[in-house]
Structures are given as structure tokens and as C-alpha cells.
Amino acid sequence: AGVRRILASTGDLSEAGAYVHTNTPPELGETVLFTVPLGEDSTLATAATVVWIDTDDRGRPSGCGLAFARLPTATRRELSTALRTPQATPVVIEDAPEPKQTGLIAMISRFVDRVAG
């Protein structure tokens, strides 16, 4: 973006553009070089325009929407293939309350707790 480099994660990627998670998005309307790996041996690098900026609950920037410039046919085909190929997806696991136990399971859990002391 201009002369600065922004390392960000992509939240949504399509043949038309991408959503990028970043708290330092480029300016609305700015043209940027968008680069993302498509596989082990392939990288998409294309001009994109910032078409909207997202904010969090406090009004701080949290990401931006990018619209790709016209992609060459071969690049569009490569991107389309990459989007259809299953990728390893990071998983976020949040702390959640344990489910309330009832019946026999609850009785066994209380017994184990007492024995374990």
C-alpha cells in the first residue's frame, strides 16, 4: 500500500476480490498490490482497489474489502482451481462452559471428584 507493506490475513477470497483482516488498512480508494499464496508453487499477485473499510465495535479499523483489477484468464483459472481445492483451515477454539451433567454421568463425576479429593 503506497510504500508500506501490510501483513494481514485473508478472511474471504473470491475471483472478484478479498476481505483482509488488518487494523491498519490502506485508504479508501487506494490501489494496492495484493499478494496471497495459492498453493505450494503458486502466488496470486494483482492490483486491487480498497472499496470499503470495516470497523470494530469501538470504531477502530479492523479490515478492508478489496476489488481485484481485471485478472488475466490464466490467473483467474488458477485462482478458481485454488478456491475449489480443500485447504487446511485454522480453527479458533474458545473457552466454553462445560455442559451441565445430569443423571448417571453427574453421579459418577461427583463420585470421582470426591475420591480424587
Side-chain angles (χ1 to χ4, degrees):
V3 293
R4 65 188 173 117
R5 183 178 208 149
I6 300 170
L7 182 61
S9 62
T10 304
D12 188 16
L13 178 62
S14 73
E15 292 178 29
Y19 176 78
V20 178
H21 297 281
T22 177
N23 58 2
T24 56
E27 296 292 319
L28 188 62
E30 186 172 354
T31 299
V32 299
L33 174 61
F34 176 80
T35 307
V36 64
L38 296 179
E40 290 182 25
D41 300 326
S42 179
T43 300
L44 169 66
T46 187
T49 302
V50 179
V51 292
W52 54 274
I53 296 177
D54 198 15
T55 57
D56 64 15
D57 293 341
R58 294 184 171 182
R60 297 177 296 202
S62 59
C64 64
L66 302 176
F68 295 153
R70 184 171 166 87
L71 296 176
T73 302
T75 303
R76 184 175 298 281
R77 192 175 307 122
E78 188 176 8
L79 175 56
S80 179
T81 299
L83 292 172
R84 287 191 311 266
T85 305
Q87 304 289 322
T89 305
V91 176
V92 176
I93 301 174
E94 298 180 25
D95 290 336
E98 290 190 26
K100 186 172 182 172
Q101 297 174 341
T102 59
L104 181 60
I105 294 174
M107 186 174 71
I108 293 170
S109 291
R110 285 192 298 273
F111 174 77
V112 169
D113 288 344
R114 263 191 250 130
V115 170

